[in-house]
Amino acid sequence: MSIIILAIESSCDDTSAAVSKDAKILANVIAGQKVHELWGGVVPELASRAHQQNIVPVVDLAIQQAGISREEISAIAFTRGPGLIGSLLVGVSFAKAFALAKNLPLIEVNHMQAHILSHFIDSNPSFPFLCLTVSGGHTQIVLVKNFLEMEVVGETLDDAAGEAFDKSAKLLGLPYPGGPLIDKYSKQGDATKFLFPEPQIKDFDFSFSGVKTSILYFLQKETRKNPDFIKENLYDLCASIQKTIVDILLKKLEKAAKKMNIKEVALAGGVSANSELRTRFEELGKKNSWATYIPKFEYCTDNAAMIAIAAHYKFLNNEFSNQQAEPLARYHL
Ligand code: KG4
Ligand code: ZN
């Protein structure tokens, strides 16, 4: 019999529902939330309210697009964490109610584990592999030993890579989320025009708060001399900031892969949508003879397809949750 999973993702500001059948994605519906743009960042209370408005139509659409009936579903999966507690609560409550109404088993999924397992939607890395997971909330190098066995070998001590993009963009006066805009404007800029110092952090850990501060001080100094400095140099600033962040990420990834002698290397999370990171990662892979893996664009940022895939492997492993499961803002791998 086929395993059909209905998965819900609501950890931050995207409401998503997906349906998988035997690890193939039949539907992956994502509703973004424009409401945060006005505020320059995600407002948790507004996010929970938008999830509540979106969740029923998003799930309906996913089931419709998948062409399945509710009676065929084998289990309902949900993101338990990490994420915004109010946002998570909407998805967790919905999943529990659905499971109760349809008498279905529940599967809880760790959002970070799901980002990593998104690789198994379209490809098949062999174990063990290293994954650089870069999102708005996390930056980790993870040793993936098996579908459900993972070890964090390095992580950020302060801001995440996505935050570094978004906060730098904010300093440049760009709207939230600034990461994709920095990517876009960088294409027309000179990445060697401005140099920002790279932090010296031990082992495979990262730090981005110093970079952010040096960008802030630099911009303050230059705009005192020329109030139009940012406007006149926007593309070069974007390209230089992007290069700094990508340099920091890839240096640590290469260091970890060499030290651990691993040749299967992957990228995951929202920032892996960044074109400079994707290109330079592939180049680094060629240089080091790695087999490289990057998820398709739509599976990089938050989506429920990755939750469905993670749940599929948990289903096979008989890892089920129950009606007592509560959301976790912090949830380690
Ligand atoms: O994984 P994700 O969708 O949500 C979290 O789990 O955090 O990642 C969102 C992050 C945001 O910080 C966003 O600016 C960043 O990913 N991002 C990008 C790009 N696309 C999304 N950063 C740089 N370049 C991009 N093209
Ligand atoms: Zn994410």
Side-chain angles (χ1 to χ4, degrees):
M1 219 177 69
S2 289
I3 301 174
I4 297 185
I5 310 265
L6 169 66
I8 314 290
E9 154 64 36
S10 71
S11 64
C12 190
D13 60 343
D14 291 301
T15 318
S16 181
V19 176
S20 68
K21 181 176 186 177
D22 298 326
K24 292 273 165 299
I25 301 301
L26 302 182
N28 181 39
V29 176
I30 305 170
Q33 303 180 353
K34 284 260 173 231
V35 62
H36 307 291
E37 262 174 33
L38 270 173
W39 309 98
V42 176
V43 183
E45 179 57 29
L46 296 179
S48 338
R49 283 164 196 247
H51 282 306
Q52 273 183 320
Q53 285 171 348
N54 293 342
I55 194 144
V56 171
V58 164
V59 169
D60 263 346
L61 191 59
I63 291 175
Q64 206 182 318
Q65 282 185 1
I68 55 146
S69 79
R70 285 166 173 71
E71 277 55 49
E72 291 176 90
I73 298 171
S74 322
I76 174 144
F78 62 90
T79 303
R80 187 173 180 198
L84 299 171
I85 200 77
S87 291
L88 290 165
L89 196 57
V90 176
V92 173
S93 310
F94 180 90
K96 283 194 208 172
F98 197 103
L100 211 54
K102 291 284 169 195
N103 198 21
L104 287 172
L106 279 165
I107 302 178
E108 64 188 55
V109 172
N110 179 311
H111 181 89
M112 301 313 292
Q113 201 170 53
H115 267 302
I116 294 172
L117 293 176
S118 67
H119 289 289
F120 293 94
I121 295 175
D122 291 313
S123 53
N124 205 9
S126 30
F127 300 110
F129 66 91
L130 265 193
C131 186
L132 172 67
T133 318
V134 272
S135 72
H138 292 80
T139 300
Q140 300 177 325
I141 297 179
V142 180
L143 176 63
V144 188
K145 300 174 185 171
N146 214 318
F147 287 112
L148 303 172
E149 209 188 324
M150 306 181 181
E151 183 189 338
V152 178
V153 295
E155 63 190 328
T156 183
L157 305 176
D158 40 59
D159 290 351
E163 258 178 305
F165 271 107
D166 297 339
K167 288 181 177 173
S168 307
K170 202 170 181 175
L171 295 176
L172 298 175
L174 301 176
Y176 178 86
L181 282 175
I182 293 201
D183 190 351
K184 186 174 158 199
Y185 295 151
S186 293
K187 293 191 167 73
Q188 297 169 63
D190 173 3
T192 59
K193 182 86 176 278
F194 306 109
L195 285 179
F196 300 107
E198 277 178 40
Q200 302 301 315
I201 308 293
K202 67 164 179 44
D203 303 328
F204 314 134
D205 287 336
F206 303 92
S207 166
F208 291 101
S209 68
V211 177
K212 182 188 63 194
T213 311
S214 72
I215 295 169
L216 171 69
Y217 288 162
F218 175 74
L219 292 176
Q220 282 175 342
K221 192 180 81 194
E222 294 300 327
T223 45
R224 263 196 301 268
K225 288 187 273 179
N226 169 12
D228 289 332
F229 178 78
I230 294 178
K231 211 166 83 195
E232 287 167 10
N233 294 280
L234 185 62
Y235 296 156
D236 294 339
L237 282 166
C238 285
S240 305
I241 290 169
Q242 176 172 273
K243 180 180 182 304
T244 309
I245 298 172
V246 171
D247 281 349
I248 295 171
L249 291 171
L250 292 181
K251 268 186 200 162
K252 284 293 170 104
L253 182 62
E254 184 176 34
K255 188 175 167 191
K258 279 188 172 157
K259 182 85 183 282
M260 301 170 96
N261 198 22
I262 289 188
K263 299 259 179 206
E264 297 266 319
V265 191
L267 275 190
V271 180
S272 59
N274 182 268
S275 46
E276 168 90 0
L277 180 61
R278 291 168 90 96
T279 312
R280 299 246 324 266
F281 171 68
E282 295 289 10
E283 286 167 10
L284 194 65
K286 276 205 189 85
K287 186 187 115 192
N288 288 293
S289 314
W290 294 343
T292 50
Y293 302 90
I294 313 179
K296 259 200 211 144
F297 207 72
E298 69 253 45
Y299 302 134
C300 287
T301 46
D302 288 348
N303 66 87
M306 66 185 195
I307 306 300
I309 288 299
H312 178 85
Y313 292 105
K314 289 192 130 184
F315 190 103
L316 292 178
N317 215 28
N318 270 315
E319 287 188 32
F320 294 101
S321 187
N322 58 47
Q323 289 288 336
Q324 270 67 51
E326 69 228 354
L328 294 173
R330 289 172 171 270
Y331 188 5
H332 295 291
L333 274 180

